[in-house]
Amino acid sequence: MYGVSEHRPDRRADEDQTGVDRQERICREIAERLQLRVEAAHVYVDNNRSAWQRNRKRPGWDEMLKAMGEGEIRYVVVYHPDRLMRQPKDLEELLSIADDKRVLLHGEANRRDLSDPDDRFILRIEVAHACRSSDDSSRRLKDALKDKAREGEPHVGNRPYGYTGNGQASIEGEAKIVREVRTSPHPLRTGGGAP
């Protein structure tokens, strides 16, 4: 999630353990402390859209970049830069627009002048580190899932209805309901009729 406000905006980012509402509150506090005006039209939220997934569509991010390019935004306030972007290509896109518009990036932990070469250097390192961290997390998760498969254990996220938490045994009361639904001639059932 991120937010931006016209002329003196506020900017925040997406999905860490800090909830979206809390991130917005913190960003609004930063904007108020900096005496920046936050307009609803320039608060962008991409809730449940991770910044680390390379092919994920983030409409709020795209709208924010467009508003920056049109000169509507001079300040970006974000909970933390890694909530805003975790891919170096996203940072470079932001920097190319900031080159023309002298945009400042404010975060709870830091302030970055996107026109300053030293700040850009540090931000590139932070984003590269966040990207590496995301890649490492993904690799560890994939390795753990491969280990479970190799050991014959099921890949179970949330407990499937009708089964115990480890997916190894059924819960008879729930399993009975699943069987009833499966054999029901109810017209809303997939396929529209009896099996």
Side-chain angles (χ1 to χ4, degrees):
M1 150 192 145
Y2 20 83
V4 173
S5 158
E6 181 178 305
H7 298 264
R8 300 176 189 175
D10 124 312
R11 166 66 175 177
R12 34 192 166 97
D14 189 341
E15 304 173 328
D16 74 350
Q17 291 82 8
T18 304
V20 171
D21 292 340
R22 181 168 176 232
Q23 289 181 41
E24 180 172 354
R25 179 185 50 76
I26 290 169
C27 289
R28 288 185 181 278
E29 289 169 1
I30 295 168
E32 185 176 325
R33 186 170 63 239
L34 297 171
Q35 298 180 336
L36 303 175
R37 182 181 55 187
V38 179
E39 296 185 11
H42 291 290
V43 173
Y44 303 96
V45 178
D46 281 334
N47 197 7
N48 295 323
R49 294 182 182 266
S50 176
W52 73 267
Q53 290 182 320
R54 289 175 176 84
N55 59 356
R56 170 81 42 100
K57 300 291 184 212
R58 296 192 299 155
W61 168 259
D62 294 337
E63 290 174 30
M64 185 197 71
L65 292 178
K66 181 179 177 199
M68 287 173 60
E70 292 173 356
E72 297 174 17
I73 295 170
R74 293 194 49 236
Y75 300 87
V76 175
V77 179
V78 62
Y79 173 71
H80 191 282
D82 76 355
R83 302 296 89 212
L84 176 62
M85 58 211 153
R86 287 192 167 198
Q87 297 300 323
K89 71 178 180 65
D90 291 339
L91 173 60
E92 294 306 323
E93 187 175 10
L94 180 78
L95 292 177
S96 71
I97 295 170
D99 280 344
D100 296 332
K101 306 300 177 182
R102 287 207 46 108
V103 174
L104 293 177
L105 176 65
H106 295 275
E108 177 67 3
N110 53 28
R111 173 187 170 274
R112 299 281 182 240
D113 178 345
L114 299 181
S115 66
D116 181 280
D118 292 331
D119 280 356
R120 292 163 70 114
F121 173 72
I122 297 300
L123 196 54
R124 283 182 171 115
I125 291 171
E126 290 173 347
V127 170
H129 176 67
C131 183
R132 173 63 189 263
S133 180
S134 293
D135 289 346
D136 287 345
S137 294
S138 176
R139 177 186 42 79
R140 285 190 299 270
L141 177 61
K142 288 176 185 175
D143 288 347
L145 292 174
K146 285 179 187 175
D147 287 347
K148 285 185 88 164
R150 204 175 0 265
E151 294 167 8
E153 294 180 27
H155 168 59
V156 182
N158 293 330
R159 181 183 71 84
Y161 189 79
Y163 291 91
T164 57
N166 66 6
Q168 297 290 323
S170 63
I171 298 172
E172 189 50 41
E174 292 180 1
K176 180 180 177 191
I177 293 169
V178 170
R179 285 191 295 274
E180 288 174 11
V181 168
R182 172 72 181 109
T183 58
S184 168
H186 194 281
L188 295 180
R189 197 177 132 257
T190 304

